[in-house]
């Protein structure tokens, strides 16, 4: 999606897209398409039968052709709803196709010599070199170098992003542009199965699979349609027993009014619109099922860093151990951080410089990078000094292994820092604990309110962090999460997800690294970051193009909105049928059975007018509800019982009352202009 498309008004259909949608609605009249939808398939067959019956003289031509025209309009309106939903993704699909057209690649051979080949010839495992100003020819992983990449062709965001080999932000997408430096990319996708190919298929609806709820509702509508078909088929026999002859056109009109045509016509559009809403939020879902499952999630697992907090922890203070030297602590912390590429390491050096300490790493120093298993980092100096900084238990264990002792007041010092919501990093030098570095991490603005919304929907939030328990508890309390996992390792995420699922919960989580892949695959909804590794993106069933871990909260709301929209419109459609029953049946039988006149509460002018009025309303209500189907019912956080009660009141009672008013109004207009 480009910038122009992203800022366009999100109306339900632009004037420019009207004609293509109408043309597509006519194309969908083909039998092979119509018979996929049992409800609209019956209306389509009814249209054909009324035309044949009118030609055969079984009904007055004026009335017969009018009914045929209204039934055809009903079918077209149902097709139009689906066509409109599909059309909303075609502009984005065209933009994505342009992003991959004419791509070539400089493929490296075994001797690292580059040869230009068409991008379509690339296969998984091939290595390509991309420099500033060139487009990345295929999906892959950066295996050498780092570069600034413009992903506006995919995400619509003009701000460049950094992609670097050996990090959790090494994944690149074919069709995006390198702005600076040089990278070597290892291809991971087969031709025709790239990220852009998947996205194009999804935005056009070509790969949309029906969700379990949609399939269940489709079966219910098919059963209801079959039931009403049997009921209507028996009416001629019942009518003859009381001296009433009902022709075929009237029977078909009655059937169409009784079956749930409104939801039958809108159901495909609702499913496609759910995918579109996810795409508008810059989330690429593997299928509509993934979006809908998000609406049923009741447990959210979220990383603390970058999701709940801003993630850019900054050193704010040095605290020397009891009896220790603040200057020695400061020097050791700087030496352990000079080669540390993380924001925390850089902030430690910056804080020391603000306090007047300038140092350079001595030649021959060996930097020890942070790992999830060791949970500490540091440096081995040429003079034999071993400096480490990290979590309390990790550094304390290291000190004891080297024959040192942990000062008795260290636990209290760490607890004091942690109670403030900061992260304490313990520093040691050659078996002696020197003190604590205080790292402050800020909870994102508004995150507590968002968790409150989740809680109102019956969703439990669980924060995952590698911090110690005191820090985790402080951040959890400030952010308003329901539970937390402290000092977490990658396998702890997977274990928690499985435990929640065994307890009957649906779990969602977010991740971006290769070590997150097992948990993303295990979760019912796995949201991977677009900047993350290919393993993470393949393991999850959703990809966030904006790389915003907090997007998971929005995904849940999108899923719930889709479920609520389908339920509300189904309720409205079924309630409509009650009113149409009172409009048509009394008009058909009251002449022969005077006792049925008591049911003719609408007092419609004639049986023919009653049938036509009900059919016209039945046809017009579908296009009238297209904007609601595409936009979705407004979602408010509430319990399932409260939402059900609200929908029954608004769409159930409203669905009964509206047809009475509308059909009576249509009948009054018909009585003025026509004589039946």
């Amino acid at each position: 999606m480009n910038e122009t498309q992203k800022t366009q008004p999100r109306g339900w259909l632009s004037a420019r897209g009207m004609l293509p949608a109408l043309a597509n609605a006519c194309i969908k009249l083909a039998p092979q398409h119509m018979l996929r939808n049992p409800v609209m398939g019956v209306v389509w067959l009814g249209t054909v039968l009324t035309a044949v019956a009118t030609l055969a003289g079984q009904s007055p031509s004026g009335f017969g052709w009018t009914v045929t025209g209204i039934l055809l309009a009903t079918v077209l309106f149902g097709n139009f709803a689906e066509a409109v939903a599909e059309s909303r993704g075609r502009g984005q699909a065209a933009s994505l196709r342009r992003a991959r057209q004419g791509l070539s690649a400089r493929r490296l051979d075994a001797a690292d010599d580059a040869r230009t080949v068409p991008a379509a010839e690339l296969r998984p495992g091939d290595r390509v070199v991309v420099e500033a100003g060139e487009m990345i020819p295929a999906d892959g992983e950066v295996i050498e170098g780092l570069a600034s990449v413009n992903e506006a062709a995919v995400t619509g965001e003009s701000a460049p992003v950094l992609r670097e080999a050996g990090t959790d932000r090494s994944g690149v997408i074919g069709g995006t542009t390198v702005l600076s430096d040089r990278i070597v990319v290892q291809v991971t996708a087969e031709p025709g199965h790239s990220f852009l190919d998947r996205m194009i298929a999804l935005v056009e609806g070509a790969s949309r699979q029906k969700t379990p709820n949609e399939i269940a509702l489709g079966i219910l509508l098919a059963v209801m349609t079959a039931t009403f078909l049997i009921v209507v088929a028996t009416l001629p026999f019942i009518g003859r027993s009381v001296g009433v002859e009902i022709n075929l056109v009237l029977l078909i009109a009655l059937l169409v009014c009784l079956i749930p045509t409104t939801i039958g016509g809108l159901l495909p559009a609702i499913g496609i619109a759910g995918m579109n809403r996810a795409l508008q939020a810059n989330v690429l879902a593997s299928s509509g099922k993934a979006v809908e499952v998000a609406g049923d999630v009741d447990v959210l697992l979220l990383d603390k860093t970058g999701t709940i907090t801003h993630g850019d922890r900054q050193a704010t203070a040095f605290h020397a151990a009891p009896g220790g030297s603040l200057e020695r602590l400061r020097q050791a912390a700087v030496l352990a951080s000079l080669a540390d590429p993380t924001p925390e390491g850089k902030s430690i050096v910056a804080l020391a410089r603000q306090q007047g300490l300038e140092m350079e790493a001595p030649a021959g120093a060996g930097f020890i990078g942070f790992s999830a298993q060791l949970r500490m980092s540091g440096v081995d100096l040429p003079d034999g000094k071993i400096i480490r900084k990290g979590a309390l238990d990790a550094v304390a264990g290291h000190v004891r292994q080297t024959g040192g002792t942990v000062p008795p007041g260290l636990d209290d010092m760490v607890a004091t820092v942690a109670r403030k919501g900061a992260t304490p990093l313990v520093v040691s030098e050659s078996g002696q604990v020197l003190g604590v570095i205080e790292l402050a991490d800020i909870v994102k603005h508004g995150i507590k309110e968002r968790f409150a919304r989740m809680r109102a929907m019956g969703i439990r939030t669980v924060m995952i962090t590698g911090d110690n328990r005191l820090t985790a508890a402080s951040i959890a309390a400030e952010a308003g999460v329901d539970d937390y996992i402290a000092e977490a390792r990658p396998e702890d995420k997977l274990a928690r997800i499985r435990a929640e699922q065994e307890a009957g919960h649906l779990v969602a989580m977010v991740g971006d690294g290769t070590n997150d892949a097992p948990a993303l695959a295990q979760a019912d909804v796995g949201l991977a970051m677009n900047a993350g590794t290919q393993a993470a993106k393949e393991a999850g069933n959703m990809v966030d193009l904006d790389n915003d871990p907090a997007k998971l909260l929005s995904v849940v709301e999108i899923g719930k909105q889709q479920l609520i929209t389908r339920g509300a419109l189904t309720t409205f459609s079924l309630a409509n049928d009650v009113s149409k029953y009172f409009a048509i049946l009394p008009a058909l039988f009251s002449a022969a059975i005077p006792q049925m006149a008591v049911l003719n509460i609408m007092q419609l002018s004639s049986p023919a007018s009653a049938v036509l009025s009900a059919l016209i309303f039945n046809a017009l209500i579908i296009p009238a509800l297209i904007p609601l189907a595409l936009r979705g019912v407004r979602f408010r956080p509430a319990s399932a019982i409260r939402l059900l009660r609200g929908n029954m009141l608004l769409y159930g009672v409203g669905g009964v009352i509206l047809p009475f008013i509308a059909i009576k109004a249509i009948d009054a207009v018909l009585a003025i202009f026509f004589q039946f």
Side-chain angles (χ1 to χ4, degrees), residues 224 228 254 256-260 262 570-586 599 601-602 614 617-618 651-660 663:
M224 292 180 64
F228 281 120
L254 175 62
V256 170
C257 285
L258 292 182
I259 62 177
T262 303
T570 300
T571 302
F572 183 83
S573 177
L574 298 180
N576 276 191
D577 295 337
V578 176
S579 303
K580 288 179 283 187
Y581 170 87
F582 281 100
I584 293 182
L585 278 186
L599 297 177
I601 57 178
M602 293 191 192
F617 171 80
N618 195 59
Y651 295 98
V653 177
V656 172
I657 295 173
L658 179 61
F660 278 102
I663 291 173

Side-chain angles (χ1 to χ4, degrees), residues 299-312:
V299 176
L300 287 182
L301 267 63
L302 306 105
D303 281 328
K304 184 203 77 172
T305 305
T307 304
I308 295 173
T309 65
H310 286 285
D312 191 7

